[in-house]
Amino acid sequence: MRIDVFSIFPEYLAPLKLSLIGKAMDAGILSVAVHDLREFTHDRHRTVDDTPYGGGAGMVMKPEPWAEALESVFAESTSTDARPVLLVPSPAGEVFTQAMARELATAQHLVVACGRYEGIDHRVSEWSAEHADVRFVSIGDYVLNGGEVAAMVMIEAIARLIPGTIGNPESLTEESHEDGLLEYPVYTKPASWRGHDVPEILLSGNHGAIARWRRDRRLERTRAVRPEMLEALPAEALDKKDRAF
Ligand SMILES: N#Cc1ccccc1Cn1ccc2ccc(-c3cc(N)[nH]n3)cc21
């Protein structure tokens, strides 16, 4: 997978080079390029914003720098490849979910447009739709100052699902949101710590009983913290014992 990120603060995306994403890049599983939008301006002040038509507070990002920036990478998605996916972080987008991360992890080329100010001139997304599949994406019901943090969140959630990125693919199967339930509590050594003991069952070696205990904890936690997730599960996903929670 290739990911191109555009921002007026490219250094915001520097942490992507760390940890798993960095390893995936080194292994050639993933390429992430971060581009400075101001490289696509031509005036002395490298202007990327202007006042909004219709009035109102703040500034809006000009369309031309974005179009020149995006077409510099759209063109590299050769005609034989699938169209790139353009992700536009926005408070007005569809909410990013694990299911969306799974879907996007199958894309060949992701382009992320990190806006600032009051957003990007809407015509950029209209123009982009001729060249890419455009998705406005929100990472939650709160307002950020720009798209960079949202881009980091989405790239990490997507990249870790690319085969070969995460060390142990099994650890992906029982994660929160992966199968509709929150994950179970985890413990490690020492078995007794500051008066708090690891649940006995986890020391028993009885793998069947441990699996049941973990399932029960997932149901209990989901019921307590995110009951709507349980309601959304298909009937066949819960067996008789599960319904006790
Ligand atoms: N647009 C806009 C906008 C509109 C109103 C107020 C502030 C902003 C700032 N902003 C500029 C770019 C941009 C990108 C993503 C978010 C964003 C995503 C989530 N989930 N929250 N906020 C905000 C962004």
Side-chain angles (χ1 to χ4, degrees):
M1 178 188 287
R2 171 179 170 171
I3 303 178
D4 287 286
V5 189
F6 290 89
S7 166
I8 59 173
F9 297 124
E11 62 279 14
Y12 227 109
L13 285 295
L16 282 177
K17 293 187 178 59
L18 306 175
S19 79
L20 280 176
I21 308 298
K23 288 192 176 69
M25 290 163 69
D26 295 343
I29 297 167
L30 174 65
S31 82
V32 179
V34 181
H35 311 269
D36 182 349
L37 180 70
R38 292 193 193 275
E39 294 297 314
F40 298 89
T41 61
H42 307 289
D43 64 301
R44 191 155 61 93
H45 298 293
R46 309 181 86 196
T47 309
V48 292
D49 64 309
D50 205 332
T51 53
Y53 276 119
M59 303 292 273
V60 172
M61 300 193 91
K62 295 166 62 65
E64 186 55 23
W66 276 110
E68 292 187 23
L70 295 175
E71 62 191 359
S72 74
V73 292
F74 285 165
E76 288 169 22
S77 256
T78 62
S79 54
T80 55
D81 290 340
R83 278 162 42 111
V85 177
L86 173 64
L87 298 178
V88 184
S90 165
E94 59 184 298
V95 177
F96 186 68
T97 62
Q98 187 69 10
M100 190 171 175
R102 273 200 302 274
E103 176 201 349
L104 294 172
T106 63
Q108 287 179 309
H109 188 192
L110 294 180
V111 183
V112 189
C114 300
R116 279 272 155 173
Y117 308 101
E118 297 304 309
I120 303 170
D121 185 304
H122 193 66
R123 291 169 293 178
V124 173
S125 56
E126 291 171 345
W127 167 83
S128 295
E130 300 160 25
H131 310 273
D133 298 333
V134 181
R135 308 277 292 268
F136 286 90
V137 189
S138 163
I139 60 166
D141 293 342
Y142 40 81
V143 182
L144 303 168
N145 282 333
E148 288 80 6
V149 168
M152 297 282 284
V153 165
M154 291 193 285
I155 291 170
E156 175 149 328
I158 293 163
R160 67 191 299 276
L161 296 176
I162 299 171
T165 308
I166 191 163
N168 173 8
E170 278 179 28
S171 61
L172 287 175
T173 53
E174 287 191 309
E175 286 190 326
S176 291
H177 309 289
E178 191 52 46
D179 58 2
L181 292 175
L182 299 181
E183 60 210 40
Y184 50 77
V186 291
Y187 304 82
T188 188
K189 301 181 190 62
S192 188
W193 172 78
R194 295 192 180 197
H196 297 267
D197 297 341
V198 171
E200 278 298 324
I201 190 79
L202 298 181
L203 310 176
S204 68
N206 179 339
H207 298 296
I210 290 170
R212 184 70 243 178
W213 181 88
R214 284 174 166 174
R215 173 82 178 176
D216 292 350
R217 297 295 72 71
R218 296 188 73 195
L219 289 158
E220 196 173 62
R221 196 176 232 187
T222 307
R223 169 80 66 198
V225 178
R226 297 291 299 276
E228 77 283 0
M229 285 175 63
L230 274 187
E231 302 314 317
L233 278 178
E236 60 275 12
L238 295 175
D239 64 29
K240 198 157 171 257
K241 284 185 194 169
D242 292 342
R243 296 189 189 285
F245 285 87

